[in-house]
Amino acid sequence: MTGQHLRRSTPSQVAPARVPPSRRPGVVFAVATLAAFCCMAVWSFASPLFSGPDEPVHVIKAAAVVRGDFVANLLDAPPSPFGRVSVPAFYAGTRNIPSCFHTHPTVPAKCASAPTGGSHDKPVCIYNARYPPLYYAVVGLPSLLGETTTELYLMRLLSALLSAIFIGLAVMAAVVWSRSRAIRLGVVVAATPMVLYLGGVVNPSGLEISAAIAAWTAGLVLVLERLDDPPPGLIATLAVSAGTFELVRGMSPFWLGLTASALVALAEPRALARLLHRRSARAALLAVVAVGIAACVWIFGEHSLLVYSRTAVPSTIPESQILETSFARTGDYISGMIGVFGWFDTRSPTFTYLAWYGLVGFLALVGVMLGRLRQALVIGVLTVAIVVLPVVISTSQAHRFGFTWSGRDTLPLAVGLPLVGAAVLGRSGIAALASALGS
């Protein structure tokens, strides 16, 4: 009897432990993506057509890119961002539809006429002609189906799906490969109402920010928890998120560079060196670098950083006054990261801002108090960068383009603050004690 008992209890005879469905990558990813998509789809249907920031020209460019017009017929040399594309008249006619209500939050969107026009080509001028084409090449696909409002909503929903996929990847990294629960809170806080809103309209910022959330989350789980035993799925998630991130907008490679710098600063140098000896890690890094080089070639070759503005600051205005004005706009930049909708003219309820200020502040403060010196420094530098970089960039461009910066432009970097704070909290003794008491 004893021999039989021993034989049954040997390792080779023990059935492998079953992974609960709540931690299976495919299940977690599918559920999280569906939840994020539903939230963004609500914004898609609740927001009047073309009420998203610059949505008409993004729709037109998407319709042009899927028809092979990647750069457009540029009208002038830099610094002009304008180009002419030929798209079906239905899409060309959307250019000025929201003019009666954008920047006028008290004017109902019903003042706008419905889009009209057929399938015959019509030239139209857009000011995002030089932007990277990846986002538009996907979101523009429904425009090939016809010329009705149905295709416009399908473009929004496809944009929402793209963004939701990367929110799903972020949740998957936090749930499946992280040993703590705190970083899940970081993902929720990083996905502000503005992130969900931008995902639900036709605007590349939604995809850029969602990919940034996924890259930050996967990177933090890797450098703070899994450097010694990196799961292949986590490395793949980080590589796909980072590669997509840097291809979406003109500033994307810059934001990814800052993200990578923060992650490297958080990692243990010896463990990071051991990671780079792994073939999978080197392959992922080389792929991201190669994609980044291609993105930069397009951005600088096509001058994708040029923007449109009617309010350039006269050269007679001194730099000190421009700097003062830029600093004065910091409050607007910060609130714009949380939720200023429409063409940045419709604010969220006050409670929304207070809730997010409190959550982000709590995670950042706890990260500084409970983290090591290096981690506290990263949180401090990141906080300063979120405030200072928009001021510096806006000031440097004021004489050429005016004050064109908005909160959404900083979000690819800013989403890292609650995520880093949550990741540091998750590694603290307090989090371990709470987890033990809850289990």
Side-chain angles (χ1 to χ4, degrees), residues 31-44:
V31 172
T33 299
L34 178 61
F37 174 75
C38 289
C39 292
M40 295 176 187
V42 169
W43 277 111
S44 296

PDB file of all heavy atoms in Angstrom, residues 31-44:
ATOM      1  N   VAL A  31     -11.504  39.476 -23.188  1.00  0.00           N
ATOM      2  CA  VAL A  31     -12.457  40.159 -22.308  1.00  0.00           C
ATOM      3  C   VAL A  31     -12.101  41.640 -22.183  1.00  0.00           C
ATOM      4  O   VAL A  31     -12.970  42.520 -22.272  1.00  0.00           O
ATOM      5  CB  VAL A  31     -12.497  39.485 -20.924  1.00  0.00           C
ATOM      6  CG1 VAL A  31     -13.327  40.307 -19.949  1.00  0.00           C
ATOM      7  CG2 VAL A  31     -13.060  38.071 -21.033  1.00  0.00           C
ATOM      8  N   ALA A  32     -10.813  41.922 -21.978  1.00  0.00           N
ATOM      9  CA  ALA A  32     -10.391  43.312 -21.816  1.00  0.00           C
ATOM     10  C   ALA A  32     -10.594  44.111 -23.102  1.00  0.00           C
ATOM     11  O   ALA A  32     -11.035  45.263 -23.058  1.00  0.00           O
ATOM     12  CB  ALA A  32      -8.927  43.364 -21.388  1.00  0.00           C
ATOM     13  N   THR A  33     -10.283  43.509 -24.235  1.00  0.00           N
ATOM     14  CA  THR A  33     -10.463  44.201 -25.513  1.00  0.00           C
ATOM     15  C   THR A  33     -11.936  44.486 -25.762  1.00  0.00           C
ATOM     16  O   THR A  33     -12.308  45.589 -26.204  1.00  0.00           O
ATOM     17  CB  THR A  33      -9.887  43.357 -26.663  1.00  0.00           C
ATOM     18  OG1 THR A  33      -8.486  43.161 -26.448  1.00  0.00           O
ATOM     19  CG2 THR A  33     -10.099  44.051 -28.005  1.00  0.00           C
ATOM     20  N   LEU A  34     -12.788  43.516 -25.471  1.00  0.00           N
ATOM     21  CA  LEU A  34     -14.228  43.708 -25.666  1.00  0.00           C
ATOM     22  C   LEU A  34     -14.758  44.824 -24.766  1.00  0.00           C
ATOM     23  O   LEU A  34     -15.544  45.672 -25.204  1.00  0.00           O
ATOM     24  CB  LEU A  34     -14.974  42.406 -25.392  1.00  0.00           C
ATOM     25  CG  LEU A  34     -16.503  42.467 -25.517  1.00  0.00           C
ATOM     26  CD1 LEU A  34     -16.901  42.851 -26.940  1.00  0.00           C
ATOM     27  CD2 LEU A  34     -17.132  41.128 -25.129  1.00  0.00           C
ATOM     28  N   ALA A  35     -14.313  44.833 -23.512  1.00  0.00           N
ATOM     29  CA  ALA A  35     -14.776  45.871 -22.582  1.00  0.00           C
ATOM     30  C   ALA A  35     -14.330  47.256 -23.044  1.00  0.00           C
ATOM     31  O   ALA A  35     -15.114  48.216 -23.058  1.00  0.00           O
ATOM     32  CB  ALA A  35     -14.252  45.583 -21.178  1.00  0.00           C
ATOM     33  N   ALA A  36     -13.052  47.366 -23.448  1.00  0.00           N
ATOM     34  CA  ALA A  36     -12.551  48.662 -23.927  1.00  0.00           C
ATOM     35  C   ALA A  36     -13.262  49.084 -25.204  1.00  0.00           C
ATOM     36  O   ALA A  36     -13.608  50.263 -25.382  1.00  0.00           O
ATOM     37  CB  ALA A  36     -11.045  48.584 -24.148  1.00  0.00           C
ATOM     38  N   PHE A  37     -13.480  48.124 -26.100  1.00  0.00           N
ATOM     39  CA  PHE A  37     -14.168  48.454 -27.358  1.00  0.00           C
ATOM     40  C   PHE A  37     -15.582  48.954 -27.093  1.00  0.00           C
ATOM     41  O   PHE A  37     -16.033  49.921 -27.729  1.00  0.00           O
ATOM     42  CB  PHE A  37     -14.208  47.228 -28.271  1.00  0.00           C
ATOM     43  CG  PHE A  37     -15.012  47.449 -29.522  1.00  0.00           C
ATOM     44  CD1 PHE A  37     -14.517  48.212 -30.564  1.00  0.00           C
ATOM     45  CD2 PHE A  37     -16.272  46.881 -29.660  1.00  0.00           C
ATOM     46  CE1 PHE A  37     -15.257  48.426 -31.718  1.00  0.00           C
ATOM     47  CE2 PHE A  37     -17.021  47.083 -30.810  1.00  0.00           C
ATOM     48  CZ  PHE A  37     -16.513  47.855 -31.837  1.00  0.00           C
ATOM     49  N   CYS A  38     -16.286  48.329 -26.176  1.00  0.00           N
ATOM     50  CA  CYS A  38     -17.653  48.767 -25.868  1.00  0.00           C
ATOM     51  C   CYS A  38     -17.661  50.195 -25.331  1.00  0.00           C
ATOM     52  O   CYS A  38     -18.519  51.010 -25.703  1.00  0.00           O
ATOM     53  CB  CYS A  38     -18.293  47.814 -24.860  1.00  0.00           C
ATOM     54  SG  CYS A  38     -18.700  46.185 -25.536  1.00  0.00           S
ATOM     55  N   CYS A  39     -16.699  50.516 -24.462  1.00  0.00           N
ATOM     56  CA  CYS A  39     -16.618  51.881 -23.933  1.00  0.00           C
ATOM     57  C   CYS A  39     -16.360  52.885 -25.048  1.00  0.00           C
ATOM     58  O   CYS A  39     -16.985  53.958 -25.105  1.00  0.00           O
ATOM     59  CB  CYS A  39     -15.519  51.974 -22.877  1.00  0.00           C
ATOM     60  SG  CYS A  39     -15.846  51.064 -21.349  1.00  0.00           S
ATOM     61  N   MET A  40     -15.453  52.551 -25.947  1.00  0.00           N
ATOM     62  CA  MET A  40     -15.141  53.463 -27.041  1.00  0.00           C
ATOM     63  C   MET A  40     -16.278  53.532 -28.053  1.00  0.00           C
ATOM     64  O   MET A  40     -16.549  54.598 -28.626  1.00  0.00           O
ATOM     65  CB  MET A  40     -13.846  53.026 -27.725  1.00  0.00           C
ATOM     66  CG  MET A  40     -12.625  53.118 -26.821  1.00  0.00           C
ATOM     67  SD  MET A  40     -11.135  52.482 -27.621  1.00  0.00           S
ATOM     68  CE  MET A  40      -9.964  52.530 -26.255  1.00  0.00           C
ATOM     69  N   ALA A  41     -16.945  52.409 -28.279  1.00  0.00           N
ATOM     70  CA  ALA A  41     -18.064  52.406 -29.222  1.00  0.00           C
ATOM     71  C   ALA A  41     -19.204  53.286 -28.731  1.00  0.00           C
ATOM     72  O   ALA A  41     -19.908  53.925 -29.537  1.00  0.00           O
ATOM     73  CB  ALA A  41     -18.557  50.974 -29.446  1.00  0.00           C
ATOM     74  N   VAL A  42     -19.397  53.343 -27.417  1.00  0.00           N
ATOM     75  CA  VAL A  42     -20.414  54.246 -26.864  1.00  0.00           C
ATOM     76  C   VAL A  42     -20.094  55.687 -27.238  1.00  0.00           C
ATOM     77  O   VAL A  42     -20.967  56.464 -27.642  1.00  0.00           O
ATOM     78  CB  VAL A  42     -20.498  54.071 -25.327  1.00  0.00           C
ATOM     79  CG1 VAL A  42     -21.339  55.188 -24.713  1.00  0.00           C
ATOM     80  CG2 VAL A  42     -21.101  52.717 -24.977  1.00  0.00           C
ATOM     81  N   TRP A  43     -18.812  56.061 -27.124  1.00  0.00           N
ATOM     82  CA  TRP A  43     -18.400  57.398 -27.544  1.00  0.00           C
ATOM     83  C   TRP A  43     -18.624  57.580 -29.045  1.00  0.00           C
ATOM     84  O   TRP A  43     -19.013  58.670 -29.499  1.00  0.00           O
ATOM     85  CB  TRP A  43     -16.927  57.631 -27.221  1.00  0.00           C
ATOM     86  CG  TRP A  43     -16.658  58.054 -25.807  1.00  0.00           C
ATOM     87  CD1 TRP A  43     -16.032  57.331 -24.839  1.00  0.00           C
ATOM     88  CD2 TRP A  43     -17.008  59.301 -25.205  1.00  0.00           C
ATOM     89  NE1 TRP A  43     -15.959  58.040 -23.665  1.00  0.00           N
ATOM     90  CE2 TRP A  43     -16.555  59.261 -23.865  1.00  0.00           C
ATOM     91  CE3 TRP A  43     -17.654  60.441 -25.665  1.00  0.00           C
ATOM     92  CZ2 TRP A  43     -16.731  60.334 -22.985  1.00  0.00           C
ATOM     93  CZ3 TRP A  43     -17.837  61.513 -24.792  1.00  0.00           C
ATOM     94  CH2 TRP A  43     -17.375  61.448 -23.476  1.00  0.00           C
ATOM     95  N   SER A  44     -18.377  56.535 -29.840  1.00  0.00           N
ATOM     96  CA  SER A  44     -18.546  56.635 -31.290  1.00  0.00           C
ATOM     97  C   SER A  44     -19.972  57.010 -31.661  1.00  0.00           C
ATOM     98  O   SER A  44     -20.200  57.851 -32.549  1.00  0.00           O
ATOM     99  CB  SER A  44     -18.169  55.306 -31.960  1.00  0.00           C
ATOM    100  OG  SER A  44     -16.808  55.004 -31.782  1.00  0.00           O
TER     101      SER A  44
END
